[in-house]
Amino acid sequence: MSKDRLLVCFLWVCLLLSAGGCGGRGPQRPSQRSGTKPEADSSALALMEMNQRMAIAADEEVLRYVQGRDDAKRFAQMPFSNAWVRIMEKGDEQSACPQKDETWRLHIKTYSLRGQLLLDTEQEYRIGRNELPMCIEVNISEWHLGAAVVIVAPWYSAYGMMGTEDVPAYENVLLEISIL
């Protein structure tokens, strides 16, 4: 091999190695070794405090609503969601209960605690995929085909602080659910 060819090959190898070494590394993050902690986001903290106060108020409102009903003794408070549940109809207890990743048809009527119908849907839902309000999702695996259930739920375990197109944000609700 000639000296010129050897030099050209050497230059190509150097070029390829240098191009490969320039991978997509971003800039380094600044070090937090100065000993000072970053300041807390005051607006996020204020929102968290407000939501905590509103959640406590929601729990109180839902409890007063349930206690004011004639059938109050038939409701049970569910852990985690703080929703109050009453089984109106047990359904076919020989049938399977809804399980994660199964598709079940539900009829859900959503009312404000003042009695206004906010939403009336009948559709298929995939269980465990956050398609349902949390207060339904955490309890549905205990119900059977044909079951009819009433849930009185605080906003944070129903439609949340964002609400939906039909359900306002921070709305405590009464849900009537039928498993079809």
Side-chain angles (χ1 to χ4, degrees):
M1 227 174 166
S2 73
K3 229 179 181 180
D4 291 335
R5 263 192 135 160
L6 191 58
L7 181 62
V8 169
C9 285
F10 176 75
L11 290 174
W12 272 108
V13 168
C14 289
L15 180 66
L16 289 173
L17 287 175
S18 66
C22 296
R25 293 186 191 136
Q28 290 183 347
R29 293 185 68 179
S31 156
Q32 297 294 330
R33 295 184 185 173
S34 65
T36 60
K37 292 183 180 179
E39 290 188 30
D41 183 356
S42 60
S43 60
L45 288 174
L47 181 61
M48 285 173 45
E49 282 183 32
M50 181 188 76
N51 279 341
Q52 284 178 327
R53 285 192 307 272
M54 292 183 77
I56 291 168
D59 289 339
E60 292 169 357
E61 180 183 2
V62 166
L63 177 61
R64 278 192 309 272
Y65 179 85
V66 170
Q67 287 176 337
R69 290 178 57 108
D70 293 337
D71 59 351
K73 292 184 180 187
R74 296 181 183 262
F75 278 84
Q77 186 177 24
M78 302 310 292
F80 185 65
S81 67
N82 278 349
W84 292 82
V85 179
R86 177 173 179 209
I87 307 296
M88 304 296 285
E89 180 67 41
K90 289 184 179 183
D92 180 8
E93 294 185 59
Q94 302 304 314
S95 69
C97 297
Q99 300 298 314
K100 186 174 181 179
D101 292 326
E102 292 179 346
T103 301
W104 285 73
R105 187 163 196 80
L106 302 176
H107 181 203
I108 303 172
K109 289 183 179 180
T110 304
Y111 296 90
S112 72
L113 296 186
R114 295 171 302 286
Q116 177 188 5
L117 179 63
L118 302 171
L119 185 62
D120 186 351
T121 60
E122 182 178 319
Q123 67 184 55
E124 290 187 348
Y125 294 93
R126 190 141 187 171
I127 309 303
R129 297 293 181 165
N130 296 323
E131 295 177 5
L132 293 164
M134 191 246 309
C135 60
I136 297 174
E137 195 78 58
V138 298
N139 294 305
I140 196 165
S141 63
E142 300 173 15
W143 306 332
H144 297 275
L145 183 65
V149 180
V150 173
I151 297 178
V152 182
W155 61 267
Y156 59 86
S157 66
Y159 294 96
M161 61 185 205
M162 301 303 286
T164 67
E165 188 176 303
D166 301 302
V167 181
Y170 296 104
E171 184 75 30
N172 301 322
V173 295
L174 179 134
L175 302 158
E176 292 178 355
I177 303 118
S178 298
I179 300 181
L180 309 175

